[in-house]
Amino acid sequence: MSEPISRATPARATPAQATPVGATPAPAGERLARRAATLDAGDPLAPVRDRFVLDDDTVYLDGNSLGALSTGVLPRLTDVITREWGHLRIRSWEESGWWTAPERIGDRIAPLVGAGPGQVVVGDSTSVNVFKALVAAVRMAPEDRTEILVDAATFPTDGYIAESAARLTGRTVRPVAAGETAAAAGPRTAAALVNHVDYRTGRLHDLPGITSALHAAGALAVWDLCHSAGALPVSLDADGVDLAVGCTYKYLNGGPGAPAYLYVRRGLQARFDSPLPGWNSHADPFGMAPGYAPGEGAVRGRVGTPEMLSLLALDAALDVWDGVSIADVRAKSLALTDFFLECVAALVPAGRLQSVTPAAHAARGSQVSLRCAGAAGVMRELTARGVVGDFRRPDVLRFGFTPLYTRFADALRAARVLADVLGEATGETHPTEGTP
Ligand SMILES: *Cc1c(COP(=O)(O)O)cnc(C)c1O
């Protein structure tokens, strides 16, 4: 599905530009530049950008794939490596709090996903956590619930893992469009794995509505928050979500390969039967008992020795959230994506792009995805000119807007460069996937 980009609809959440009566209207570029300056000046999150390592030569719109480095990470890791590892060595498991870091850092992520303490644990990749969450969810369901609903447009790893989880638990996967999950759930549904925000289109799904429909059908709701946590409000506890997983290297800026997190609602923790019951999740891990006895609470989601360096980089990265209101983040995210769409509509030659990101705020995450002929080549050219987004096959340009460090001026610059690239590539010279 795609929506034409309309020049007639000005962005919401942006103040109207007053044009003096009788004056010649300023050219679109100038008008937009003044708007960007006004919006940046009034942005309550503007100072947060200084907590990141960024350069003004690049407009970084790929924080939904790899969040930027924050300034506290290097000094923290230097200390972790030189003192905690280098000097204290094995004593750090206790003295530096390494052993309990997965739960402690889970509790730092908890407020960003609307979870009370003791329900989030950090460790392993998102893929591994999807596996744990889905198998555990199905194990909680009665045997006659034979199907697992999976978001048909999901990021592939979730689908692959769900297939394997289904085989292991003797169930079958039924792919359904995320928006149809509520209608598809029935007496045969054990659980559904749904993405809060679609990674390709940026569509935001109705988490509270789908969760309650699943519950009404007697099924468990497993949510993937990779593209929502850190970009918009998530209320896992209030919405009664059963299990959830998410990534920390996207909007949480934890660094490449930073460990993911797993949420298990408190009321379900005693029934959480992990398919990967490693020794870290044991009730008495250092008892080294031959038999398994699960620990209590979030610790049950652990597997083996935590990836300490990545975990502590994430810990430092989470400092940027101190004092940040997620409501401000959402308001800025919508204003940024609105403004970017408005700039694109005003500057890019008509008919060259179609937005696959919903125009409605209620259905929009924090990215704008634009379909375009020769998208791969266009993105390469944008990157060469300092505007970094990414390309998703077959024809999608993806621009992620991280409200903590993206400015309205950046959105305008990205649209300008996009307009230049598309304007230059006319007629036979349309860029294609093979062109540099
Ligand atoms: C980014 C992303 C992942 C990443 O999985 P990894 O195991 O960290 O590679 C998984 N699912 C979704 C929906 C994602 O957006």
Side-chain angles (χ1 to χ4, degrees):
M1 194 194 320
S2 48
E3 318 202 2
I5 298 170
S6 156
R7 288 175 194 227
T9 340
R12 281 169 51 191
T14 51
Q17 185 70 39
T19 310
V21 181
T24 318
E30 256 172 60
R31 235 181 340 100
L32 293 168
R34 281 205 303 271
R35 286 270 307 291
T38 307
L39 289 163
D40 280 323
D43 170 18
L45 296 176
V48 182
R49 184 177 161 91
D50 294 338
R51 300 183 200 168
F52 288 90
V53 178
L54 292 163
D55 56 86
D56 283 333
D57 298 338
T58 306
V59 174
Y60 190 64
L61 300 179
D62 217 355
N64 54 339
S65 202
L66 178 65
L69 173 67
S70 58
T71 55
V73 172
L74 184 58
R76 176 69 188 281
L77 278 191
T78 301
D79 182 58
V80 167
I81 290 170
T82 56
R83 189 178 58 81
E84 297 185 1
W85 179 15
H87 182 65
L88 294 175
R89 290 179 287 269
I90 201 150
R91 292 166 55 189
S92 273
W93 284 107
E94 239 183 84
E95 290 175 32
S96 305
W98 287 359
W99 184 260
T100 51
E103 294 79 51
R104 182 178 62 76
I105 298 167
D107 279 343
R108 296 193 70 195
I109 292 172
L112 296 170
V113 294
Q119 301 171 103
V120 179
V121 69
V122 185
D124 312 310
S125 64
T126 304
S127 302
V128 171
N129 282 293
V130 166
F131 179 74
K132 292 183 230 171
L134 207 50
V135 172
V138 173
R139 284 177 173 176
M140 291 176 201
E143 300 230 326
D144 60 349
R145 290 188 171 261
T146 52
E147 70 178 15
I148 304 170
L149 303 180
V150 176
D151 184 344
T154 191
F155 187 90
T157 204
D158 296 49
Y160 306 156
I161 300 273
E163 276 291 343
S164 176
R167 267 193 289 140
L168 280 165
T169 55
R171 298 333 204 256
T172 52
V173 163
R174 179 149 71 100
V176 290
E180 271 141 45
T181 309
R188 295 237 170 285
T189 312
L193 172 62
V194 200
N195 289 290
H196 197 191
V197 172
D198 184 287
Y199 79 101
R200 192 189 277 114
T201 63
R203 177 176 290 273
L204 170 66
H205 295 292
D206 174 13
L207 183 149
I210 294 173
T211 301
S212 53
L214 285 165
H215 288 167
L220 288 148
V222 184
W223 284 91
D224 186 323
L225 308 175
C226 281
H227 285 273
S228 59
L232 49 92
V234 182
S235 309
L236 294 179
D237 284 353
D239 292 329
V241 167
D242 299 301
L243 298 109
V245 301
C247 194
T248 65
Y249 52 78
K250 293 170 183 165
Y251 292 105
L252 299 183
N253 315 302
Y261 57 90
L262 170 69
Y263 164 91
V264 182
R265 175 157 66 79
R266 190 176 303 286
L268 292 181
Q269 284 176 340
R271 292 166 61 204
F272 180 85
D273 179 8
S274 175
L276 294 170
W279 73 291
N280 272 228
S281 69
H282 196 281
D284 180 17
F286 293 97
M288 304 288 173
Y292 181 73
E296 296 214 345
V299 77
R300 264 191 205 202
R302 285 175 67 161
V303 183
T305 306
E307 43 281 77
M308 287 317 305
L309 299 182
S310 292
L311 194 53
L312 296 176
L314 167 64
D315 193 22
L318 291 170
D319 290 351
V320 300
W321 295 95
D322 293 347
V324 168
S325 132
I326 201 77
D328 285 348
V329 168
R330 178 59 169 163
K332 184 175 174 190
S333 159
L334 290 171
L336 273 170
T337 48
D338 273 343
F339 184 62
F340 178 65
L341 283 166
E342 186 187 343
C343 292
V344 167
L347 302 174
V348 170
R352 297 298 310 274
L353 295 168
Q354 282 179 310
S355 176
V356 290
T357 301
H361 284 177
R364 191 192 304 165
S366 199
Q367 76 186 51
V368 171
S369 296
L370 303 173
R371 292 181 56 211
C372 138
V378 171
M379 187 50 76
R380 268 196 297 276
E381 191 54 35
L382 286 175
T383 303
R385 299 185 195 191
V387 174
V388 179
D390 59 26
F391 160 69
R392 288 292 175 265
R393 285 181 202 190
D395 58 356
V396 171
L397 303 170
R398 226 174 47 143
F399 301 97
F401 289 84
T402 304
L404 297 187
Y405 53 75
T406 307
R407 298 166 298 197
F408 291 88
D410 296 326
L412 173 57
R413 190 174 140 207
R416 276 199 170 126
V417 175
L418 180 59
D420 289 348
V421 170
L422 292 174
E424 288 164 21
T426 50
E428 291 78 23
T429 61
H430 279 189
T432 61
E433 199 170 338
T435 57

